[in-house]
Amino acid sequence: MTPTSDQTPAQSLAAAVDHHTAGRMAEAEAIYRRILAGEPDNADALQLLGLLAHQCGNSADAVQLIQRAIGLDDAQAAWHNNLGEAYRALGKLQEAVLCYQRALSLAADFADAYVNLGFTLMDLGRIGDAEAAVRQVLEIRPRMVPALGLMGLVHRARGRVDEAVASFRQALELAPTDTSVLINLGSLLQDLGQVAEAIACYRTALETNPTSAAACNNMGLALTQLGLTEEATRWFSHAISLAPTFVEALNNLGNMMLRTDPMVAAEFYRRAVAVKPDHVNAWFNLGEALTRMSWLGEAETCYKRALGLDPRLALAHAGLANIRHYERRVEDALAITERALAMDPGCLQARWNRARALLLLGRYEDGWRDYECRLDLDRPRPEEFLRTQWDGRPLPGGTLLLRAEQGLGDTLQFVRFVATVAERSGARVVLEVQPPLGRCLGGLPGAAQVLVRGEPLPAFDAQCALGSLPGLLGVTLDTVPASVPYVVPDPGLVDHWRDRLPDAGGAGSPRRRIGLAWAGNPGHAQDLSRSMALSQLAPLLEVPGLHIVSLQKGPGAEQAHADGLAGRLTPLGEAFTDLADTAAVMASLDLVITVDTAVAHLAGALGRPVWVLLSHVPDWRWGLEGDRSPWYPSARLFRQPTAGDWTTVVEEVVAALKSGQ
């Protein structure tokens, strides 16, 4: 219905309401404004234009318009309810509560106002008051779906899980496709570990409401819980495409990107705090991303912003401790960590920080205790592991399963204990390792069987994570077993790869064969500080009398073909199937030069000469000082004098090569 010049204001208002109800917002707005141009105090038009503004996302204008309408007519309960909704959208919850209460004083049976009041009280943490409100509305309308959904939230907040599930399911019996109830039931089922049922709820919600950003976000969370990170990332991205300012989805997508690309993760966190400056988790997570990028000053600011919002957030204190750690102020880091643990003794990140600091300082006896928390950092250990965990006691005649649970380098470092464990336990030891290490560790002393992760496991009496062995065996800095080699390359593979190595030259001008690796796993928390670009090693490629062989496989290997570097080293690493090939090549090399990656550990385990290039604050196993390692007698350590200074490290390596040291 299009208004004409001879219509009365009431007729024009009716035409506008028709447009408004049909979702033709632009047409409705034009008529409301035309009415108000002639009658600035038309309370109905003011209120309806305010409601339209709120529905279009402009709640600030809505507040002003509806307040003007109420100033002209204070007795309309629906108007007070609508004003409350606008305030709530702006985050002004106390003001919203007053509006709903005023609406109910005018209409004691106003069910929608009761529900809106209840949801707002929930947001304020006033669970008891919210429960009182929802019980009142259910007396008026016992089958009201939003009220039943709100009661489910109240039950959940009170810890009455069965009652919460029952309320949500009762609501769905009345409205099987109600998006809000489906999302809330799915979230509760997720918390209960019923992830498949939760996903079914989200799918149903999305079938009827495919533009629900909240359902997409929760689907991402459920898939994350199942370890399906790629799928989860797609759902978080879709949620943001539907609602670009959806703070939780921005934060969650940042979490997905944090391990692989902290710079991208930081941008999502920045967007989240720009929308919601009081979002504690996003500030903390931004600090984590910046720490991984070694932007420590900005990271500290973020942690302090988080602490300004929540002074007892132990994770943020742990983040500050981490910064002190990477500033090489390790004792200060320990002091801050102790404060974090005093606030929250169960803070796993703080315990992990303390473990790393103690081990870096060589205080192994204390460090191993906290080192165990690594097993719970991503998700709690399954009940089966806790029930069958080996405690170090003899297990004569039994089967003991040792499982690699960290990176490839950690596995290579800790398999040295397998023979000792087999002897002390009296058990048949089965070792489960990552696929790249299966062939490499096939003949490991003490291991009756070596399996690759994913292969069927035999029956076992007890199991233990490899990283737990030094603590169980009471290893100290002075008692690290350093007998090498404890890994031996396959002779057939050694012969195969020897034929592919560059000729060492004649007797009069022998050339040393040097293996080179410059980058580690990009998913490692500190990869940006421990890895380098091949171009930074260019001076090493100029040293005369060397044949340089690239051992780099995977990320970073393509740099061997970059302009100015191609042809200056033999890129063998790209042809490796796994680390058994790497070990076979190392057997024919004179020296391995590498940053802190699995390559360093493999060379050390083989007893091959290896020079390890370390960041200013290295991983705990290399210690803070010295050029030798108790873990690998054949290793020589080259350390950054200041953070990020690879230039000095490379200069020292070049000088050592030229002098034949």
Side-chain angles (χ1 to χ4, degrees):
M1 178 179 179
T2 304
T4 60
S5 58
D6 59 348
Q7 282 184 329
T8 66
Q11 290 171 325
S12 295
L13 191 66
V17 170
D18 285 342
H19 285 303
H20 194 161
T21 304
R24 297 186 293 270
M25 300 303 201
E27 292 89 338
E29 180 179 358
I31 300 173
Y32 291 144
R33 292 195 182 281
R34 192 176 302 129
I35 294 169
L36 290 169
E39 294 185 9
D41 289 338
N42 188 311
D44 288 311
L46 283 167
Q47 192 278 147
L48 287 166
L49 182 58
L51 178 61
L52 185 147
H54 169 63
Q55 292 168 339
C56 292
N58 193 351
S59 297
D61 283 354
V63 166
Q64 293 183 13
L65 289 163
I66 300 173
Q67 280 180 332
R68 283 176 58 192
I70 290 173
L72 297 165
D73 184 355
D74 185 51
Q76 301 296 324
W79 298 5
H80 287 281
N81 180 67
N82 292 343
L83 181 58
E85 288 293 86
Y87 272 130
R88 187 175 171 211
L90 293 171
K92 298 183 177 181
L93 303 185
Q94 301 288 1
E95 291 88 338
V97 167
L98 294 175
C99 292
Y100 300 136
Q101 289 173 338
R102 174 60 179 154
L104 289 167
S105 72
L106 294 169
D109 60 350
F110 193 169
D112 285 343
Y114 270 121
V115 170
N116 292 335
L117 175 61
F119 277 114
T120 308
L121 292 169
M122 286 288 291
D123 291 341
L124 287 167
R126 294 166 56 181
I127 311 302
D129 292 337
E131 182 167 2
V134 73
R135 290 195 182 281
Q136 284 184 280
V137 73
L138 285 173
E139 288 182 8
I140 301 167
R141 292 176 58 185
R143 293 169 59 84
M144 184 180 183
V145 171
L148 290 168
L150 175 56
M151 181 56 85
L153 293 176
V154 168
H155 284 313
R156 182 178 182 180
R158 294 284 203 182
R160 302 188 293 253
V161 176
D162 292 341
E163 292 91 333
V165 171
S167 290
F168 291 139
R169 294 202 186 280
Q170 185 182 355
L172 290 174
E173 287 175 6
L174 299 167
T177 60
D178 186 284
T179 301
S180 176
V181 177
L182 284 164
I183 290 172
N184 287 329
L185 176 58
S187 175
L188 177 56
L189 292 172
Q190 255 182 267
D191 284 355
L192 296 173
Q194 300 172 34
V195 184
E197 290 185 56
I199 288 174
C201 288
Y202 304 141
R203 291 201 188 283
T204 301
L206 288 163
E207 285 169 6
T208 54
N209 188 0
T211 61
S212 171
C216 293
N217 180 65
N218 278 28
M219 181 71 83
L221 290 172
L223 293 166
T224 302
Q225 201 167 333
L226 293 177
L228 303 173
T229 54
E230 288 188 15
E231 282 188 63
T233 298
R234 286 195 291 272
W235 280 104
F236 292 136
S237 298
H238 188 44
I240 293 168
S241 71
L242 294 168
T245 60
F246 188 1
V247 171
E248 295 306 324
L250 289 166
N251 185 62
N252 291 334
L253 186 54
N255 291 342
M256 290 292 99
M257 303 302 298
L258 185 57
R259 289 192 175 184
T260 56
D261 198 334
M263 189 170 293
V264 171
E267 287 310 305
F268 287 114
Y269 297 138
R270 289 188 200 280
R271 285 171 60 183
V273 297
V275 175
K276 195 172 190 300
D278 62 348
H279 197 293
V280 177
N281 287 339
W283 278 115
F284 166 74
N285 289 332
L286 179 55
E288 292 288 280
L290 294 169
T291 298
R292 292 188 180 212
M293 294 158 62
S294 297
W295 296 1
L296 301 184
E298 291 184 56
E300 182 165 353
T301 298
C302 292
Y303 291 134
K304 288 181 176 178
R305 286 290 297 268
L307 287 169
L309 296 164
D310 182 358
R312 295 190 60 80
L313 182 62
L315 278 173
H317 287 287
L320 288 176
N322 217 17
I323 288 175
R324 298 293 172 265
H325 184 103
Y326 291 121
E327 290 174 340
R328 210 177 168 90
R329 296 162 57 185
V330 185
E331 293 291 355
D332 290 344
L334 276 172
I336 297 172
T337 299
E338 293 298 345
R339 288 202 296 273
L341 287 168
M343 294 175 183
D344 180 5
C347 181
L348 293 175
Q349 188 59 57
R351 285 187 59 204
W352 176 240
N353 286 353
R354 186 167 65 183
R356 291 166 52 241
L358 291 169
L359 293 171
L360 181 62
L361 293 170
R363 292 157 57 179
Y364 282 7
E365 299 96 321
D366 296 326
W368 297 132
R369 286 192 292 273
D370 283 321
Y371 195 63
E372 286 303 287
C373 79
R374 76 194 184 283
L375 297 170
D376 294 309
L377 272 174
D378 289 332
R379 59 178 59 89
R381 280 171 277 186
E383 178 62 32
E384 181 223 5
F385 183 91
L386 296 172
R387 188 172 59 252
T388 60
Q389 189 170 8
W390 185 52
D391 60 5
R393 286 181 290 190
L395 195 65
T399 296
L400 174 59
L401 175 65
L402 300 180
R403 310 182 91 154
E405 92 290 350
Q406 298 186 86
L408 298 173
D410 301 276
T411 300
L412 287 164
Q413 179 181 2
F414 294 134
V415 292
R416 72 183 65 215
F417 298 111
V418 171
T420 301
V421 167
E423 181 181 351
R424 292 192 185 181
S425 68
R428 178 178 183 271
V429 173
V430 176
L431 177 63
E432 182 193 51
V433 298
Q434 303 94 324
L437 285 170
R439 289 197 304 161
C440 183
L441 299 178
L444 189 77
Q449 184 179 10
V450 177
L451 298 172
V452 168
R453 188 179 295 159
E455 290 184 329
L457 295 173
F460 56 87
D461 300 287
Q463 62 179 315
C464 185
L466 272 179
S468 299
L469 295 180
L472 285 171
L473 297 173
V475 173
T476 68
L477 189 61
D478 297 325
T479 62
V480 171
S483 177
V484 294
Y486 55 85
V487 174
V488 178
D490 180 281
L493 283 176
V494 173
D495 292 339
H496 167 78
W497 284 105
R498 186 183 292 118
D499 294 338
R500 299 187 60 178
L501 287 168
D503 187 1
S509 57
R511 305 184 75 180
R512 284 185 289 171
R513 291 168 170 167
I514 308 292
L516 194 62
W518 54 88
N521 175 9
H524 189 280
Q526 288 303 309
D527 189 61
L528 289 175
S529 63
R530 70 170 186 159
S531 292
M532 58 197 302
L534 176 58
S535 59
Q536 294 174 282
L537 288 164
L540 187 153
L541 303 180
E542 301 293 337
V543 177
L546 304 180
H547 274 307
I548 307 293
V549 174
S550 167
L551 302 176
Q552 191 71 36
K553 180 176 174 60
E558 73 286 348
Q559 296 175 31
H561 305 286
D563 290 344
L565 296 173
R568 297 169 67 183
L569 71 169
T570 303
L572 285 187
E574 298 170 353
F576 293 165
T577 301
D578 55 25
L579 285 165
D581 291 322
T582 314
V585 170
M586 285 181 180
S588 299
L589 298 177
D590 297 298
L591 174 66
V592 173
I593 300 176
T594 176
V595 294
D596 178 12
T597 74
V599 170
H601 293 276
L602 179 58
L606 291 165
R608 303 300 300 159
V610 56
W611 292 358
V612 186
L613 317 184
L614 298 174
S615 58
H616 186 53
V617 181
D619 197 58
W620 64 265
R621 64 207 80 217
W622 305 112
L624 272 177
E625 307 290 347
D627 64 355
R628 298 295 168 181
S629 166
W631 293 92
Y632 300 114
S634 65
R636 179 178 175 185
L637 311 181
F638 291 78
R639 301 177 182 273
Q640 286 182 349
T642 58
D645 182 5
W646 286 122
T647 300
T648 300
V649 172
V650 173
E651 288 173 352
E652 291 178 356
V653 169
V654 168
L657 285 170
K658 287 180 176 178
S659 67
Q661 294 178 355

